[in-house]
Amino acid sequence: FSDIAGFTTFTDQADPAEVQAVLEEYFSEMTSIVFANQGIVDKYMGDGIMAFFENPPDGVTSAQTAIKAAKDMKEKAVILDKKYKDQKRFPFSIYVGIATGYAKVGNIGPPEKIDYTIIGSVVNLASRLQGFGDDGDIVVDEDTQFFLKDEFKIKSCGEQSLKGYAKKIPIYKIHYNKTS
């Protein structure tokens, strides 16, 4: 999951045409990054993007491809931030939440409105994780950090209470300095 930080405040102060222009650029840029990393964009929800990654046949895990996409998205967000500041628009950054696990992918819904989507606890967890971070953070669950721990510095945020979860969930933030 990816979401624009401070977007509600921006929409409250901006003209709808300006909001649309920002969303179209954001969706276009970020969707291209997801696709370049063999991801699938499931849907856009307001200013959010829900995407998923399957394990590719080359032995790389979905966690590794998802984090590559997230890092690329964050780099693009820095470029958009500079552009929007030059245009006297709001500061631009994104939150990203990544969870690793099994989900159901397919057509969901009644015959009148079928939607191809992904569902499962891991989807809900990714959504909750992105809401946990600060501007610009990539927040991951324990399973994701397991696949990334040898490649990145990872900060534990401890076990946190997340809406809808009976037990506290171990949460981690990715740091961008490679350890090797």
Side-chain angles (χ1 to χ4, degrees), residues 35-47:
F35 290 165
N37 287 281
Q38 289 74 48
I40 298 166
V41 172
D42 183 293
K43 63 180 51 84
Y44 306 116
M45 301 169 298
D47 61 309

Side-chain angles (χ1 to χ4, degrees), residues 2-5 7-8 23 26-27 44-49:
S2 170
D3 203 25
I4 300 173
F7 197 71
T8 301
L23 281 177
Y26 163 68
F27 288 150
Y44 306 116
M45 301 169 298
D47 61 309
I49 299 173

Side-chain angles (χ1 to χ4, degrees), residues 50-146:
M50 183 170 117
F52 64 95
F53 299 80
E54 297 179 293
N55 287 336
D58 62 4
V60 173
T61 68
S62 59
Q64 292 165 311
T65 55
I67 199 69
K68 169 79 167 73
K71 287 181 61 187
D72 293 349
M73 291 169 73
K74 289 186 54 56
E75 289 172 11
K76 180 56 75 173
V78 169
I79 293 167
L80 291 174
D81 180 48
K82 181 178 179 348
K83 175 182 177 179
Y84 294 157
K85 282 180 181 172
D86 290 347
Q87 296 172 349
K88 307 291 188 236
R89 287 185 172 157
F90 72 110
F92 188 87
S93 65
I94 60 174
Y95 306 98
V96 177
I98 301 172
T100 300
Y102 295 99
K104 172 71 174 145
V105 179
N107 292 320
I108 307 292
E112 299 83 15
K113 175 65 173 106
I114 293 177
D115 189 19
Y116 183 82
T117 192
I118 184 168
I119 60 171
S121 179
V122 68
V123 177
N124 297 330
L125 179 55
S127 175
R128 298 291 185 241
L129 290 173
Q130 70 85 28
F132 179 82
D134 297 318
D135 292 6
D137 281 343
I138 298 175
V139 181
V140 301
D141 70 333
E142 191 164 34
D143 290 340
T144 304
Q145 75 81 33
F146 174 82

